[in-house]
């Protein structure tokens, strides 16, 4: 079991996410863990208010969140479980996040510290962001991330630069997840482009 005392507030990340939310972003959590784990992590990070859903997406939580059970349910297979890095997990996340204004399909951005979790999103034309924690990209990497950041707190600046460089971006999604080692937030974010 995880020692949640290790999960402490990250003011810089919180400030960055609040800035994105102030600009119109809806933040989502997307995890292979269960809902109680995700809720404990965001409570420890003191970011729970950033993920509260206007309309509940699940009867199991008040948050905009996709956990392991949400990923397993839609797969339709009782003998096979589907989680990240499998394609079905990202398809499920897309279905959960389909509630955007004007009915436009979102541009999706996957923020990860695991290259394996960027392979399928890249194939599905999601923008990929890698947080390498000091690692170098292997020469034989199965995916070349669109953006590489050393600090997740730099995400808003990098994302804005990317959006300015791409006229086609009208919505952005960042998937959220936490890891025991790095407690990196992978955010599922829906953002309407300013006009």
């Amino acid at each position: 079991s995880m020692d949640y005392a290790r999960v402490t507030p990250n003011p810089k990340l919180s400030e960055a996410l609040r800035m994105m939310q102030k600009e119109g972003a809806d933040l989502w959590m997307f995890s292979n863990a269960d809902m109680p784990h995700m809720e404990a992590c965001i409570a420890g990070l003191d970011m729970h208010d950033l993920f509260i859903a206007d309309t509940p997406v699940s009867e199991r939580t008040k948050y905009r969140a996709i956990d392991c059970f949400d990923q397993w349910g839609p797969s339709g297979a009782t003998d096979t479980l589907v989680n990240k890095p499998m394609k079905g997990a990202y398809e499920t996340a897309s279905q959960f996040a389909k509630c955007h204004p004007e009915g436009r399909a979102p541009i999706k951005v996957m923020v990860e510290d695991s290259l394996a979790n960027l392979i399928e999103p890249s194939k599905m034309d999601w923008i990929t962001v890698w947080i390498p924690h000091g690692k170098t990209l292997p020469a034989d990497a199965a995916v070349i991330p669109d953006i590489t950041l050393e600090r997740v707190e730099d995400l808003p600046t990098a994302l804005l630069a990317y959006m300015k460089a791409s006229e086609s971006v009208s919505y952005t999604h960042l998937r959220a997840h936490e890891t025991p080692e790095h407690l990196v937030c992978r955010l599922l974010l829906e953002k309407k482009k300013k006009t």
Side-chain angles (χ1 to χ4, degrees):
S1 76
M2 183 168 168
D3 176 9
Y4 291 103
R6 292 177 46 207
V7 185
T8 58
N10 181 334
K12 288 183 180 181
L13 178 58
S14 181
E15 181 183 337
L17 298 180
R18 288 180 197 289
M19 179 183 83
M20 295 173 99
Q21 191 175 57
K22 187 177 178 181
E23 294 296 319
D26 289 321
L27 304 174
W28 286 72
M29 295 181 283
F30 176 29
S31 176
N32 282 348
D34 63 13
M35 204 63 69
H37 172 76
M38 292 169 34
E39 290 174 354
C41 287
I42 61 167
L45 289 166
D46 194 24
M47 295 183 194
H48 57 278
D49 60 309
L50 292 170
F51 298 95
I52 294 175
D54 296 330
T55 306
V57 294
S58 166
E59 59 200 37
R60 295 180 299 111
T61 186
K62 64 182 180 182
Y63 297 106
R64 284 183 302 276
I66 302 157
D67 75 350
C68 57
F69 297 107
D70 294 319
Q71 294 174 57
W72 298 342
S75 69
T78 56
D79 59 341
T80 305
L81 300 179
V82 177
N83 282 107
K84 297 184 298 179
M86 301 163 113
K87 182 178 181 179
Y90 305 99
E91 292 171 339
T92 298
S94 292
Q95 292 302 313
F96 268 80
K98 275 207 164 171
C99 47
H100 15 267
E102 302 169 22
R104 286 190 240 165
I107 301 285
K108 297 170 185 85
V109 179
M110 183 71 182
V111 180
E112 270 286 349
D113 61 353
S114 166
L115 281 174
N117 286 342
L118 294 177
I119 296 169
E120 287 302 324
S122 178
K123 291 177 185 177
M124 297 168 70
D125 294 324
W126 294 12
I127 299 164
T128 54
V129 180
W130 185 42
I131 312 290
H133 301 291
K135 298 178 211 150
T136 58
L137 187 68
D140 62 346
V143 62
I144 305 297
D146 296 304
I147 301 169
T148 300
L149 298 173
E150 282 303 319
R151 300 172 339 125
V152 72
E153 295 91 343
D154 295 332
L155 182 59
T157 304
L159 191 54
L160 286 173
Y162 189 91
M163 289 172 67
K164 285 180 182 178
S166 172
E167 290 298 316
S168 65
V169 174
S170 57
Y171 295 88
T172 306
H173 282 226
L174 305 175
R175 255 138 240 116
H177 181 60
E178 63 297 320
T179 64
E181 292 148 1
H182 304 293
L183 301 172
V184 172
C185 282
R186 299 164 195 157
L187 306 165
L188 180 61
L189 151 76
E190 185 170 336
K191 179 167 178 36
K192 185 174 179 181
K193 182 181 177 183
K194 284 185 159 183
T195 53

